[in-house]
Amino acid sequence: MVVVEGAIRTSNSVVEFATMLVIGIVLSIFGIGFLCWLMFNLAVYALPFFAGMTAGLAAYHSGAGVVGGLIVGFTAGAITLVVGQAIFAIFASPMLRGLIALVFAAPAAIAGYHATLALGRIGVPAEGWREVFAIVGAISIGATAVVRVAGMAYPSSVSRASVAMSDQPQMATTPRIS
């Protein structure tokens, strides 16, 4: 307690420190949660991003300039995403669909591994447990990419209607490309 010109001033640094500690922990949890949510939502776009980045850098290094590299990169990424979705939607062969899903899931799993490993370095002291968490993160983010690629093949209203109608017996079947 400090007396300054007749006024009593109490210093409560313990409460201030505890308040800041709690606020820091809560904000850290929300920040890590946001990063995880962002990683799961962007998992499908890992392959188009890598394809666009590679094509853009190749165009830049071949003399296209910054603007040309950006245009080539965005175009290559968009084409990769659209072609992957179209192939997945058109062909009914489970083998081909599995291959396309694997092609989209592999870069997502690699990115998920490294993101989970980086987050694990924040709070996990043991190297072995960091690797375990990184592998689990890679598997879960890769699986999320597979599910989202399968879900992106059709608009949401079409997929719900087709799933509901697939339980009904059909009179005539239409040939599908396989």
Side-chain angles (χ1 to χ4, degrees), residues 42-86:
L42 297 179
V44 173
Y45 305 109
L47 175 68
F49 175 77
F50 290 141
M53 184 66 75
T54 303
L57 285 173
Y60 175 75
H61 288 298
S62 68
V66 174
V67 176
L70 286 172
I71 291 171
V72 168
F74 280 122
T75 304
I79 288 173
T80 303
L81 181 64
V82 169
V83 167
Q85 289 176 347

Coordinates of all heavy atoms in Angstrom, one line a residue, residues 42-86:
L42 N -9.8 -25.1 -46.3 CA -9.0 -24.9 -47.5 C -8.2 -26.1 -48.0 O -7.4 -26.1 -48.9 CB -8.0 -23.8 -47.2 CG -8.6 -22.4 -46.9 CD1 -7.5 -21.4 -46.7 CD2 -9.4 -21.9 -48.1
A43 N -8.5 -27.3 -47.4 CA -7.7 -28.5 -47.7 C -7.9 -28.9 -49.2 O -7.0 -29.4 -49.8 CB -8.2 -29.7 -46.8
V44 N -9.1 -28.7 -49.7 CA -9.4 -29.1 -51.1 C -8.6 -28.3 -52.1 O -8.2 -28.8 -53.2 CB -10.9 -28.9 -51.4 CG1 -11.2 -29.2 -52.9 CG2 -11.7 -29.9 -50.5
Y45 N -8.2 -27.1 -51.7 CA -7.6 -26.2 -52.7 C -6.1 -26.3 -52.7 O -5.4 -25.5 -53.3 CB -8.0 -24.8 -52.4 CG -9.5 -24.6 -52.5 CD1 -10.3 -24.4 -51.3 CD2 -10.2 -24.8 -53.7 CE1 -11.6 -24.3 -51.4 CE2 -11.6 -24.7 -53.7 CZ -12.3 -24.4 -52.6 OH -13.7 -24.3 -52.6
A46 N -5.5 -27.3 -52.0 CA -4.1 -27.4 -51.9 C -3.5 -27.8 -53.3 O -2.5 -27.2 -53.7 CB -3.7 -28.4 -50.9
L47 N -4.1 -28.7 -54.0 CA -3.6 -29.1 -55.3 C -3.7 -27.9 -56.3 O -2.7 -27.6 -57.0 CB -4.3 -30.3 -55.8 CG -3.9 -30.7 -57.2 CD1 -2.5 -31.3 -57.3 CD2 -4.9 -31.8 -57.8
P48 N -4.8 -27.3 -56.4 CA -4.9 -26.1 -57.4 C -3.9 -25.0 -57.0 O -3.3 -24.4 -57.8 CB -6.3 -25.7 -57.3 CG -7.1 -26.8 -56.8 CD -6.2 -27.6 -55.9
F49 N -3.7 -24.8 -55.7 CA -2.8 -23.8 -55.2 C -1.3 -24.1 -55.7 O -0.6 -23.3 -56.2 CB -2.8 -23.6 -53.7 CG -1.8 -22.6 -53.2 CD1 -2.0 -21.3 -53.3 CD2 -0.7 -23.1 -52.6 CE1 -1.0 -20.4 -52.9 CE2 0.3 -22.2 -52.1 CZ 0.1 -20.9 -52.2
F50 N -0.9 -25.4 -55.4 CA 0.4 -25.8 -55.8 C 0.6 -25.8 -57.3 O 1.6 -25.4 -57.8 CB 0.7 -27.2 -55.2 CG 0.9 -27.2 -53.7 CD1 0.4 -28.3 -53.0 CD2 1.5 -26.2 -53.1 CE1 0.6 -28.3 -51.6 CE2 1.7 -26.2 -51.7 CZ 1.2 -27.2 -50.9
A51 N -0.4 -26.2 -58.0 CA -0.3 -26.2 -59.5 C -0.2 -24.8 -60.0 O 0.6 -24.5 -60.9 CB -1.5 -26.9 -60.1
G52 N -1.1 -23.9 -59.5 CA -1.0 -22.5 -59.9 C 0.3 -21.8 -59.5 O 0.9 -21.1 -60.3
M53 N 0.8 -22.1 -58.3 CA 2.1 -21.6 -57.9 C 3.2 -22.0 -58.8 O 4.1 -21.3 -59.2 CB 2.4 -21.9 -56.4 CG 3.6 -21.3 -55.9 SD 3.5 -19.5 -55.7 CE 2.4 -19.4 -54.4
T54 N 3.2 -23.3 -59.1 CA 4.3 -23.9 -60.0 C 4.2 -23.3 -61.4 O 5.3 -22.9 -61.9 CB 4.2 -25.4 -60.0 OG1 4.2 -25.9 -58.7 CG2 5.2 -26.0 -60.9
A55 N 3.0 -23.2 -61.9 CA 2.9 -22.6 -63.3 C 3.2 -21.2 -63.3 O 3.9 -20.7 -64.2 CB 1.5 -22.9 -63.8
G56 N 2.8 -20.4 -62.3 CA 3.1 -19.0 -62.2 C 4.6 -18.7 -62.1 O 5.1 -17.8 -62.7
L57 N 5.3 -19.5 -61.2 CA 6.7 -19.3 -61.1 C 7.5 -19.7 -62.3 O 8.4 -19.1 -62.7 CB 7.2 -20.1 -59.9 CG 6.9 -19.6 -58.5 CD1 7.3 -20.5 -57.4 CD2 7.6 -18.2 -58.3
A58 N 7.0 -20.8 -63.0 CA 7.6 -21.2 -64.3 C 7.4 -20.1 -65.3 O 8.4 -19.8 -66.1 CB 7.0 -22.5 -64.8
A59 N 6.3 -19.5 -65.4 CA 6.0 -18.4 -66.4 C 6.9 -17.2 -66.0 O 7.4 -16.5 -66.9 CB 4.5 -18.0 -66.4
Y60 N 7.0 -16.9 -64.7 CA 7.8 -15.7 -64.3 C 9.3 -15.9 -64.6 O 9.9 -15.0 -65.2 CB 7.6 -15.5 -62.8 CG 8.5 -14.4 -62.2 CD1 8.2 -13.1 -62.5 CD2 9.7 -14.7 -61.5 CE1 9.1 -12.1 -62.0 CE2 10.5 -13.7 -61.0 CZ 10.2 -12.4 -61.3 OH 11.0 -11.4 -60.8
H61 N 9.8 -17.1 -64.4 CA 11.2 -17.4 -64.7 C 11.5 -17.5 -66.2 O 12.6 -17.4 -66.6 CB 11.7 -18.6 -63.9 CG 11.8 -18.4 -62.4 ND1 12.7 -17.5 -61.9 CD2 11.1 -18.9 -61.4 CE1 12.5 -17.5 -60.6 NE2 11.6 -18.4 -60.3
S62 N 10.4 -17.7 -67.0 CA 10.7 -17.8 -68.4 C 10.5 -16.4 -69.1 O 10.7 -16.3 -70.3 CB 9.7 -18.8 -69.1 OG 8.4 -18.3 -69.0
G63 N 10.3 -15.4 -68.3 CA 10.3 -14.0 -68.8 C 8.9 -13.4 -69.0 O 8.8 -12.4 -69.6
A64 N 7.9 -14.0 -68.4 CA 6.5 -13.4 -68.5 C 6.3 -12.2 -67.6 O 5.4 -11.4 -67.8 CB 5.5 -14.5 -68.2
G65 N 7.2 -12.0 -66.6 CA 7.0 -10.9 -65.7 C 6.1 -11.2 -64.6 O 5.5 -12.3 -64.5
V66 N 5.9 -10.3 -63.7 CA 5.1 -10.5 -62.5 C 3.6 -10.6 -62.9 O 2.9 -11.6 -62.4 CB 5.3 -9.3 -61.5 CG1 4.3 -9.5 -60.3 CG2 6.7 -9.3 -61.0
V67 N 3.1 -9.7 -63.7 CA 1.7 -9.8 -64.1 C 1.4 -11.0 -64.9 O 0.4 -11.7 -64.7 CB 1.3 -8.5 -64.9 CG1 -0.1 -8.6 -65.4 CG2 1.5 -7.3 -64.1
G68 N 2.3 -11.4 -65.8 CA 2.1 -12.6 -66.6 C 2.1 -13.9 -65.8 O 1.3 -14.8 -65.9
G69 N 3.0 -13.9 -64.8 CA 3.1 -15.0 -63.9 C 1.9 -15.2 -63.0 O 1.4 -16.3 -62.8
L70 N 1.3 -14.0 -62.5 CA 0.1 -14.1 -61.8 C -1.1 -14.6 -62.6 O -1.9 -15.4 -62.1 CB -0.2 -12.7 -61.2 CG 0.6 -12.2 -60.0 CD1 0.3 -10.8 -59.7 CD2 0.4 -13.1 -58.8
I71 N -1.2 -14.1 -63.8 CA -2.3 -14.5 -64.7 C -2.2 -16.0 -65.0 O -3.1 -16.8 -64.9 CB -2.3 -13.7 -66.0 CG1 -2.7 -12.2 -65.7 CG2 -3.2 -14.3 -67.0 CD1 -2.6 -11.3 -66.8
V72 N -1.0 -16.5 -65.4 CA -0.8 -17.9 -65.6 C -1.0 -18.7 -64.4 O -1.7 -19.8 -64.5 CB 0.7 -18.1 -66.2 CG1 1.0 -19.6 -66.2 CG2 0.8 -17.5 -67.6
G73 N -0.6 -18.3 -63.2 CA -0.8 -19.0 -62.0 C -2.3 -19.2 -61.6 O -2.7 -20.2 -61.3
F74 N -3.0 -18.0 -61.7 CA -4.4 -18.1 -61.4 C -5.2 -19.0 -62.4 O -6.1 -19.7 -62.0 CB -5.0 -16.7 -61.3 CG -4.8 -16.0 -60.0 CD1 -4.1 -14.8 -60.0 CD2 -5.2 -16.5 -58.8 CE1 -3.9 -14.1 -58.8 CE2 -4.9 -15.9 -57.6 CZ -4.3 -14.6 -57.6
T75 N -4.8 -18.8 -63.6 CA -5.5 -19.6 -64.7 C -5.2 -21.1 -64.5 O -6.1 -22.0 -64.5 CB -5.0 -19.2 -66.1 OG1 -5.3 -17.8 -66.2 CG2 -5.7 -19.9 -67.1
A76 N -3.9 -21.5 -64.2 CA -3.6 -22.9 -64.0 C -4.3 -23.5 -62.8 O -4.8 -24.6 -62.8 CB -2.1 -23.0 -63.9
G77 N -4.3 -22.7 -61.7 CA -5.0 -23.2 -60.5 C -6.5 -23.4 -60.7 O -7.1 -24.4 -60.3
A78 N -7.2 -22.4 -61.4 CA -8.6 -22.6 -61.7 C -8.9 -23.7 -62.6 O -9.8 -24.5 -62.4 CB -9.1 -21.3 -62.3
I79 N -8.1 -23.9 -63.6 CA -8.2 -25.0 -64.6 C -8.1 -26.4 -63.8 O -8.8 -27.3 -64.0 CB -7.3 -24.9 -65.8 CG1 -7.8 -23.8 -66.7 CG2 -7.2 -26.2 -66.5 CD1 -6.8 -23.4 -67.8
T80 N -7.1 -26.4 -62.9 CA -6.8 -27.7 -62.2 C -8.0 -28.0 -61.3 O -8.5 -29.2 -61.3 CB -5.6 -27.5 -61.3 OG1 -4.5 -27.2 -62.1 CG2 -5.3 -28.8 -60.5
L81 N -8.6 -27.0 -60.7 CA -9.8 -27.3 -59.8 C -11.0 -27.7 -60.7 O -11.7 -28.7 -60.3 CB -10.1 -26.0 -59.0 CG -11.3 -26.2 -58.1 CD1 -11.0 -27.2 -57.0 CD2 -11.6 -24.8 -57.4
V82 N -11.3 -27.0 -61.7 CA -12.4 -27.2 -62.6 C -12.3 -28.6 -63.3 O -13.3 -29.4 -63.3 CB -12.7 -26.1 -63.6 CG1 -13.7 -26.5 -64.6 CG2 -13.1 -24.8 -62.9
V83 N -11.1 -28.9 -63.8 CA -11.0 -30.2 -64.5 C -11.1 -31.4 -63.5 O -11.7 -32.4 -63.8 CB -9.6 -30.2 -65.2 CG1 -9.2 -31.6 -65.7 CG2 -9.7 -29.3 -66.4
G84 N -10.5 -31.2 -62.3 CA -10.6 -32.2 -61.3 C -12.1 -32.5 -60.9 O -12.5 -33.6 -60.8
Q85 N -12.8 -31.4 -60.7 CA -14.2 -31.6 -60.3 C -15.0 -32.2 -61.5 O -15.9 -33.0 -61.3 CB -14.8 -30.2 -60.0 CG -14.3 -29.7 -58.7 CD -14.9 -28.3 -58.4 OE1 -15.4 -27.6 -59.2 NE2 -14.7 -27.9 -57.1
A86 N -14.7 -31.8 -62.7 CA -15.5 -32.3 -63.9 C -15.2 -33.8 -64.1 O -16.1 -34.6 -64.3 CB -15.1 -31.5 -65.1

